[in-house]
Structure formats: structure tokens, C-alpha cells
Amino acid sequence: MIIDLHTHSSVSDGTDSPAGLVTKAAQQGLDVLALTDHDTFDGLDEAERTAAEVGIVLLRGIEMSTQRDGHSVHLLGYGPREDDPALVAELTRVRAGRDDRLGPLLDRLAELGMPLTEAQVLLHVGQSPSIGRPHVADAMVAAGYVADRAEAFDRFLADGGPAHVPRYATPLETAIALLRGAGAVTVIAHPWGREREQQLPAEVLVELAGQGLDGIEVDHFDHRPDQRERLHALADRAGLLVTGSSDHHGLGKVDHELARHTTAPEVYAEIRRRMAERRRAGPGVDRPPAQAV
Ligand code: AMP
Ligand code: FE
Ligand code: FE
Ligand code: ZN
């Protein structure tokens, strides 16, 4: 069984349509694919229809943009009730925050000698319901300012970079409670990627396990081997599930080809078991007690 639990389509910052992504996954021999676009469920119906046609399993998911102490944290949610009012409202707020940042970000780029119009950026947004930094990066490439997305981030757009403009992101604990409240299984994506280890230390992950977090993504391109080892040990200690994924973005990220990293069948089965259990429990019942949202 080849199981990849974190991928993106053109409904966020990937370059494959949901149907194209699922078709490619089937061609490459995957058995289970989770589509986890940033802050939207918009691609899931198309992906699921295609999965039924090509004979693979589509796990419905999302990657929420959250923050803890002002640092960005990505939270994967598997199988939430997608019409949960509190969750829907929060996702709308995050997407609006991303859109509202575009004007100031373009002002910053103009000051840096790289003028771009909103129309130039919109050419690269695909079917995404919000306009993210990767779309701006693509417009910068098209204008000839940088060679690729990676250079756009490394030199200008990355957190703390000269063209970085902060935007709204959900507090991490709130996002866990919202997703759990909607019946989802929650997994922190690439917790220690991009030198984030100090921002989300082991003791914090252990604490979050006690507050309803189900798991952490360990096998991911952005983690070094020594980090994976320590994250595995921590997960054992805290009773957290361990997942792995490609975090595929199509042509949007090199070295993230489908199934580059994968999730163990036993872990996937446990995720499905928890999803079913929480569905049966119904709205609200599984909301962690200490978390007002
Ligand atoms: P946004 O949500 O619009 O602020 O953009 C965040 C997205 O940009 C993330 O989901 C990543 O896909 C991408 N991203 C963030 N930081 C980097 C980086 N340093 N290099 C490449 N891509 C990045
Ligand atoms: Fe992304
Ligand atoms: Fe991510
Ligand atoms: Zn991702």
C-alpha cells in the first residue's frame, strides 16, 4: 500500500488540477492520496470523483494556516465535517487575510524595484479561492525578476524577508479545537521544517498531544534524518501518530514528487478509525474540554 497524506492542487498553490493530481497518483501506483489544499475544501469533490474513476482512495483533508507565538504552523485535518459553521467561518477569515495582504505586498515589491499589478498575479492563481505568496512568486518569475519560486521566497517572500507582509493566521490551539470540533483527525505538518525546531519544541508537541492533537508529520522533505529520529521518539513518548508525505505541489516545489515519503498502513487505518468514531459521536461531542473557540 502506497499512502501519501499531504498534497496540493491548483485549488491552492499546487500546479495540477485536482483531477490531474489524482490521475497522476493512480498512474504512479499510489493506493491512497489525501488532498490537503491550504485553507479550502474546494478541490475535494473533483478529486474524489476522479479517484473513483481511476480506482484509488481519496482522503478528504485540508492544511490550515495557523500560528503560535507569531510563528507559522501548518495543521493538517483529515475528514472534518466541511459544513461545520465555526470551521467554515474561520477558513473564510484566513483566506480573506491572505487576500488583504496582496496590496501591501505588491507595494513592498514595487519599493524593491519589482513592480507587479494585481492582474499579473491573478494570471497565476488557478482555481485557488485566495491569493497566496506562491502565486506572487510565480508572477515574479513570469516578470523575469527571479528564476523560480524558491528564489522568490529565499530572497524576498519568506517569513522575515524584505517583501514579507504578515497576515492573519488562526492560533494553533484554536485550529486544533476547531478541526476536532468538526470531527477531524489533526496532524501538524512538517513541525520542524525550515529551522522551526526552536519555535515548536518537543515539550510543546507533548503538551498539544494532551490537548487533542492526534499526530505529527515526521517523514517530510524538510526534516533532516536526526530530526526524524527525535520526532519518532517524541511521538512514541506522547502517543502521537506519525505520518509521512510528499507535500507535493506539482511544478511548484522541486524534490516533492508524489510518494517521496509515505504513511504506514497501520497509521492510515488508525486515522480512518478515529474519523469514523468522531463522525458517529456527532457535532460537538469530541470537542476537547479545555478549548473554548
Ligand atoms: P501564504 O499562505 O500566502 O502566506 O503562503 C504560504 C505558502 O508559501 C506555504 O504554504 C508554502 O507552500 C509556501 N512557502 C512558504 N515559505 C516558503 C519558502 N521559504 N520556500 C518555498 N515556499 C514557501
Ligand atoms: Fe503550499
Ligand atoms: Fe505546509
Ligand atoms: Zn503542504
Side-chain angles (χ1 to χ4, degrees), residues 6 8 38 63 190 247 249:
H6 175 179
H8 297 270
H38 297 289
E63 185 175 21
H190 43 69
D247 199 358
H249 281 68

Side-chain angles (χ1 to χ4, degrees), residues 13 38 74 98 101 132-134 153 158 167 194 249 253:
D13 57 349
H38 297 289
H74 285 180
R98 185 176 280 124
R101 176 198 52 188
R133 277 181 284 171
F153 272 94
R167 61 164 165 76
R194 300 208 179 103
H249 281 68
K253 272 187 190 172

Side-chain angles (χ1 to χ4, degrees), residues 123 154 176 188 210 254 268:
L123 292 174
D154 291 348
I176 293 172
I188 294 184
V254 292
Y268 170 62

Side-chain angles (χ1 to χ4, degrees), residues 8 13 16 19 21 56 74 81 93 116 121 184 188 251 257 286:
H8 297 270
D13 57 349
D16 304 294
L21 175 71
I56 69 170
H74 285 180
R81 284 180 288 274
R93 185 175 177 190
L116 282 176
V121 177
I188 294 184
L251 304 174
E257 64 272 15
D286 46 15

Side-chain angles (χ1 to χ4, degrees), residues 31-282:
D31 299 285
V32 179
L33 181 81
L35 176 60
T36 53
D37 274 317
H38 297 289
D39 309 299
T40 178
F41 301 118
D42 283 4
L44 295 175
D45 288 346
E46 176 183 321
E48 197 164 58
R49 275 195 304 273
T50 307
E53 283 163 24
V54 299
I56 69 170
V57 173
L58 192 278
L59 176 60
R60 297 177 76 99
I62 192 163
E63 185 175 21
M64 271 187 85
S65 302
T66 84
Q67 55 87 16
R68 190 181 166 278
D69 288 345
H71 299 300
S72 166
V73 179
H74 285 180
L75 181 68
L76 296 161
Y78 298 112
R81 284 180 288 274
E82 293 162 25
D83 59 355
D84 180 272
L87 179 60
V88 167
E90 185 62 17
L91 294 173
T92 304
R93 185 175 177 190
V94 172
R95 294 194 304 263
R98 185 176 280 124
D99 288 345
D100 291 347
R101 176 198 52 188
L102 182 63
L105 200 169
L106 294 182
D107 291 345
R108 201 68 73 78
L109 285 177
E111 286 161 22
L112 291 164
M114 295 175 285
L116 282 176
T117 61
E118 284 200 16
Q120 279 173 287
V121 177
L122 284 170
L123 292 174
H124 303 275
V125 172
Q127 303 96 275
S128 174
S130 60
I131 306 167
R133 277 181 284 171
H135 306 124
V136 175
D138 290 347
M140 291 170 71
V141 174
Y145 297 144
V146 290
D148 52 28
R149 260 190 201 183
E151 187 188 347
F153 272 94
D154 291 348
R155 292 181 56 200
F156 303 109
L157 299 175
D159 292 9
H164 178 238
V165 178
R167 61 164 165 76
Y168 175 74
T170 311
L172 174 60
E173 271 108 333
T174 304
I176 293 172
L178 277 170
L179 281 168
R180 284 292 305 260
V185 173
T186 55
V187 174
I188 294 184
H190 43 69
W192 288 355
R194 300 208 179 103
E195 307 307 322
R196 293 244 161 86
E197 188 163 343
Q198 284 72 35
Q199 300 171 9
L200 212 51
E203 58 271 20
V204 171
L205 293 171
V206 172
E207 199 180 301
L208 291 169
Q211 296 176 20
L213 178 70
D214 289 287
I216 51 177
E217 187 179 58
V218 174
D219 294 309
H220 184 281
F221 179 77
D222 289 349
H223 289 155
R224 297 188 309 265
D226 67 289
Q227 292 181 312
R228 290 179 205 187
E229 251 174 62
R230 282 180 290 120
L231 283 168
H232 265 288
L234 180 163
D236 281 348
R237 185 153 57 84
L240 285 163
L241 301 174
V242 164
T243 68
S245 80
S246 64
D247 199 358
H248 187 66
H249 281 68
L251 304 174
K253 272 187 190 172
V254 292
D255 298 319
H256 288 253
E257 64 272 15
L258 283 174
R260 172 160 190 141
H261 300 290
T262 57
T263 296
E266 307 78 57
V267 173
Y268 170 62
E270 178 61 18
I271 289 172
R272 283 283 180 188
R273 195 192 64 72
R274 291 185 192 189
M275 280 168 53
E277 185 177 271
R278 289 171 199 175
R279 277 299 159 105
R280 275 198 305 275

